[in-house]
Structure formats: C-alpha cells, structure tokens
Amino acid sequence: MVEGELHGVIALDGPSGTGKSTVARRLATLLGAGYLDTGAMYRTVTLAALRAGVDPSDHDAVARIAEHVALSITTDPVHQEVLLGEESVGIEIRGQAVTLAVSAVSAVPRVRELLKVRQQELIADACASYGGIVVEGRDIGTVIAPNAALKVFLTASSDARARRRTTQDTAEGRESSLDATRQDVDRRDRLDTSRAASPLQPAGDAVWLDTTNLDIQGVLDRILELVDERELRGVAAGPGRW
Ligand code: DC
C-alpha cells in the first residue's frame, strides 16, 4: 500500500459495464487513495424506498425517504461497507429489484441534491485523510467534483458492457442472461442519459477512454499514464484542486 500517493480527486464517469467499479477500486488501492462508489449511494436510497413500499416514480415520496435515510458508506477501497441503519446492504443493493428501480430514484432532483452534499463531504474527508480519492459515478466530473485533477469518461460498446455485466452477475451468484442484461443496460443508459437532473454526460475536459478492447490492466495502465502526465502522485494538493 502506498498510502497518500495520490493527491486530489480522480473522477471516473460512464455507463455501467465499462469496468468503472473494478478500475476505480484498484486504482485507489494502487495509489493509496480513498474510493467512493456513488452508485452504491443511489442504490441504498432505492432499497430504502422499496422497503418502505414507495413507488420509485413518486418524486415526493422518494425525496422524503432520501431526507431521512440512515445511509453510510466507507471510502476504504479494500473494505468498502455500505450500511442502511446498522445493516450491511452491499449485496442486496446489487440485486434485481434495486437495479430495476434505481434509475427512477436517481432521476429525482431532491435525491441528487441531498446525495451531492453527502458525496462532497465524503470527498473532502477522504482528501484530508488519504490525500486523494477516486470517485466513480455518472456526474462526478460535471457536478460533484467539477475541479477534479483528472476526469476520465469510460465507454464501451453495448455488447461488451452486457457481456461484462452478465459475467459479473454470474460470478457473484445472481441469475443472469445476456439478453436480459443487454436490455437492462440499454434501458438504464437511456434513462440515466435523458433525465433532466444532472444526466450522465462527459465533462468537457474529460479524457475519453474506450474500454471495449481493453482488459482491466489495460485501462489501469492508461489511467496511471494520465496520473503521471499530470503529476498527481506525491505532490501536495493545491487549493481548489477539486
Ligand atoms: O454505478 P451503478 O450501476 O451502481 O449506479 C446505479 C444507478 O445509479 C445508475 O443507473 C445511475 C445512478 N447513478 C447516478 O445517477 N449518478 C451517479 N453519480 C451514480 C449512479
């Protein structure tokens, strides 16, 4: 572990199945930095809404859930923990019920507003304790950390993304078929890209990285090159770096 080697924020945005989570976590571990999975936060609010019997498309009811949700998430890349109250929900939030409802919940402006405040606090805390953090999501480079030292927008063909998601689901014991996953990936992309509140879109100053023909190590190597080009290792963070 090279504690504190990264200084500042790396924003990793892009649709699901681009390898974002695996890359973000490994990158953070390699650089001794914090790691924040913002999708897990939207998923946890979604789980709370579903458990309360709230219709995910009812904006007011979903907003009330988000206002009172007892959500906590750690920024340790090796032992990530997501809690709803005292309960660890890291596995349940990846299940089908949450995956089907999360785009509707994350389209609610009040939910985004509330989670934005939490995410910015977590980022500031991690920068203070680790020196830097890798943050993954859909609006990190555009809304959450617009001054991030490095922004990477990951893409991949829809086929490659569906294949990766199916492999991941199967490996983690969830029932999965390529066709159903492709439909789900396409549906969520459509919703995430077309929503009015901070839609999935690349920041103007993001570096695009097409991962269709790259393995995880290939993606990591390219991002580490960018980290070194920008001299983000071992330098003190200047004011306004994120
Ligand atoms: O990264 P993920 O698949 O776990 O994210 C789940 C959903 O949360 C995704 O469909 C869109 C939403 N999301 C978002 O709107 N903004 C973020 N920063 C992260 C995720």
Side-chain angles (χ1 to χ4, degrees):
M1 182 93 149
V2 277
E3 191 77 28
E5 208 187 340
L6 172 72
H7 288 279
V9 176
I10 298 180
L12 274 191
D13 287 303
S16 74
T18 49
K20 252 187 352 273
S21 296
T22 310
V23 167
R25 201 187 283 230
R26 288 206 197 159
L27 192 61
T29 307
L30 275 170
L31 294 172
Y35 161 67
L36 181 60
D37 174 0
T38 59
M41 298 175 77
Y42 286 98
R43 286 176 178 271
T44 304
V45 173
T46 304
L47 178 62
L50 293 176
R51 284 187 179 175
V54 158
D55 174 353
S57 64
D58 179 342
H59 282 208
D60 291 340
V62 170
R64 278 195 295 280
I65 295 285
E67 268 154 21
H68 298 108
V69 71
L71 149 66
S72 46
I73 184 164
T74 58
T75 52
D76 178 342
V78 184
H79 303 287
Q80 189 206 29
E81 187 149 43
V82 193
L83 297 176
L84 180 55
E86 303 279 293
E87 181 188 350
S88 177
V89 292
I91 292 176
E92 192 173 353
I93 59 171
R94 310 276 160 211
Q96 204 194 8
V98 170
T99 297
L100 277 173
V102 67
S103 285
V105 168
S106 59
V108 177
R110 181 73 184 138
V111 173
R112 305 202 70 84
E113 216 174 271
L114 291 162
L115 290 190
K116 176 181 172 182
V117 173
R118 300 264 198 112
Q119 287 162 11
Q120 291 183 332
E121 282 167 5
L122 287 160
I123 292 170
D125 288 350
C127 283
S129 55
Y130 291 97
I133 184 166
V134 181
V135 188
E136 61 147 311
R138 306 291 192 285
D139 61 346
I140 310 307
T142 50
V143 175
I144 304 301
N147 297 321
L150 173 63
K151 301 175 186 179
V152 180
F153 192 79
L154 297 178
T155 63
S157 70
S158 148
D159 259 11
R161 295 192 289 117
R163 257 185 283 112
R164 286 175 191 161
R165 277 279 317 280
T166 309
T167 308
Q168 187 185 352
D169 283 344
T170 308
E172 292 173 10
R174 289 184 293 271
E175 223 174 273
S176 183
S177 81
L178 188 57
D179 266 359
T181 305
R182 185 183 287 114
Q183 280 176 30
D184 175 61
V185 163
D186 289 345
R187 179 188 64 84
R188 276 207 294 145
D189 286 355
R190 240 184 354 264
L191 293 170
D192 296 343
T193 313
S194 63
R195 69 174 175 234
S198 45
L200 164 64
Q201 60 178 26
D205 53 351
V207 177
W208 286 61
L209 186 48
D210 184 345
T211 70
T212 307
N213 297 310
L214 291 175
D215 61 10
I216 295 295
Q217 191 56 49
V219 179
L220 275 173
D221 288 346
R222 177 66 192 124
I223 298 178
L224 286 169
E225 268 172 34
L226 293 165
V227 165
D228 287 335
E229 274 167 32
R230 295 185 186 204
E231 302 182 339
L232 301 180
R233 293 202 222 205
V235 290
R241 194 119 201 195
W242 72 276

